[in-house]
Amino acid sequence: MARSAALAPSKASLPHQIASCAGNALERWLEAERDQLFLWLPVALGAGAALWFVLPERREWVALILVALGIASSAAASWRGGRAAPFAAMLGLAVATGTTLAWTRARRVATPALDRPAVVRFAGTVEKVEPLPARGLVRVTLGTLHWERSPHRAPLRLRVSLPQRAVPATLGTGAAMTVRARLMPPASPAVPGAYDAARAAWFDGVGASGRGYTPVALRGVGAPGVRDRLTAHITAALAGSAGGIAAALVTGDMGAIAEGDSLAMRRAGLAHLLSVSGLHITATVGIVMAAVLRLLALSRRLALTGLLPLVAAGAGAVAAIGYTWLTGSQVPTIRSCVAALMVLAALALGREALTLRLVAMGALVVLLAWPEAVVGPSFQLSFAAVAAIVALHEHPRVRAALLARDEPWPRKWLREAASLLVTGAVVELALMPIAVFYFHQAGAYGAIANIVAIPLTTFAIMPAVAVALLLDALGWGAPAWWVAGRAIASLLWIAHTVAALPGAVRAIPAMPLGAFATMVAGGIWLTLWRTRWRYLGLAPIAIGAAWTLATPAPDLLVTGDGRHLAVRQADGGLALLRDRAGGYVRDALAQNGGIDGVPGLLSESNEARCNRDLCWWQRRVAGRWRRVLATRSGYTVPAARLTRLCNAADVVVSERRLPRRCRARWLTLDRTALARTGGVAITFANERVVAVRSERDEHPWVTAEGTSPQAPARVGVRPHERCRARAWAPPCAGERRDPPSAR
């Protein structure tokens, strides 16, 4: 009896047994996935860098680093064999390293930024010239600045856009230029979810941007670079967007592509063809290797040495490096170049050429040099596409189904078409969350369009342009340029045809950051693992998608300067406050509001009453009347009447500082409040308010932002406004009462 009691497990040992069984199961799983563990190193490094951008405060950055180092130290101290502890230690160290790299990089590139708009005259040395012929502009980057009247916190580097007709022909890198310009500080996102120009300018070292006035004085003759000369040569050989697309493929310069053609390429899911990345590097390397092999194989002596593949690989490597330099050494191009060099090295060593390890090494190189790239759409789109393609074709069933084999040519072509279709569909699914998060739209026919567009670009357009450039040295390039022009015209026809199809693009409101992170985590889990546990990644993908679809579109979008707002109408569309709004503002409000098209005008809405100075909007939302008051001019408004209207409105929006008595029932967004929050998105149904930034944000591009001094509120009355102001009477509480139209 005593013996059986001794053999029975005690209650105290049961948790230990459960932990032991779980640990053994974890070790067996990691052992089965041992070849995939390295792939998580760049993921953890990128996660640490991304968390630095997401977390607002310095103390949170320090806490993240300490927690990650603590996990790594604990895992290393508890290691008694196996793979779990070293894997956890690697992840902890990588997260801490990524956070530290992003923080250090942001401090290292720090430069003064203009704190308020200014019209000044200055001189500077031309560092970069970017022609934008489609817009009739030339964008010039200037450094080594000398000011006629130095503004407060004068930047060391800036960008100025000049009318193309006013730019001297001798403008080039190294010239000294004097110009008068209206400069603006780097702009924070107009509304939540919009492009953060201030962050991008911070890491580019640009402290201001603006529009230059004529005339432009130039001292010295600048020397246009190879890239500028090549772009000018291509756009001279092919007019219009055809030349712009050819230049984009060769030099990465997209300034000559017309806006309509660029929009069609985006809507058709073909915009990636214009951004030099893996496809273009691969095509360049393939063309060079094939040409070198064919030429050298003409010599029997060289062919018999067996060294031609090595020589061709070396020529391909030189071509990849040269192409990367020629196109401006952008992050996607550098990533593709690194991957191409590793593929060529693997081929030379007789190893498998394209694997996820090569993709991981490329990501690691980019993140170590430019950790800020992890929060950019370019990095995410390029790596997501390549990782999805490699992971798909590494799957045993897919590899067996699509493997090339001896068979009749109809079946072979059908298999190749199926491979392209499946690959395109998988890539579209992989890129959809990123496209929705950054561009607020999802394409429906991109996979089908790419089946034709990718081969057309790879095997027709790029070779034709390359041959034309080579033959131009002898003056024989016209026929090749004609072929390239016809091929590009076919590409544009595909883009416009697909973009015009019903439902080609679905507009989606700004995706919550949590939903995006959940979907990205699920996608990475699904891509990197190889055992059946990988399919657990489908759960967070589904959760993130459901989260996104369940998030209601905002009812009110207010820009950070308070000048513009968009209100949701009963039909689901948006109406803008001001009749005159720039294209950027209209696009930003439409995209983040989840509509595909041009917003309407609040002054023409049946739900609003507007005069030249004020707009009153009201609509029943989720069983309650919601009222918004907004100023739409810089003129004074009678203080008493304005106060009564403010007190009757749920939300008041103004680009000016409102008097203390002018307070809304819920939110008052005047210049003082918006200077703290930036742009705001409001959903009335759940009373959710999302701001561009919080007061706790300590990122350097946010703390460096200056605000113009607050002007005193103007509440005087113009004589001709008295009678019109009396027409504005606030509605009683809980009562719908439209203010009459102003005379």
Side-chain angles (χ1 to χ4, degrees), residues 255-292:
I257 304 175
E259 181 60 30
D261 294 328
S262 179
L263 178 62
M265 294 287 287
R266 291 196 301 270
R267 292 177 62 87
L270 304 179
H272 65 95
L273 298 177
L274 305 179
S275 177
V276 178
S277 57
L279 173 67
H280 309 82
I281 294 287
T282 303
T284 301
V285 171
I287 292 171
V288 170
M289 288 185 64
V292 171

Side-chain angles (χ1 to χ4, degrees), residues 10-25:
S10 64
K11 293 183 178 179
S13 64
L14 186 60
H16 177 73
Q17 290 179 359
I18 295 175
S20 177
C21 291
N24 292 335

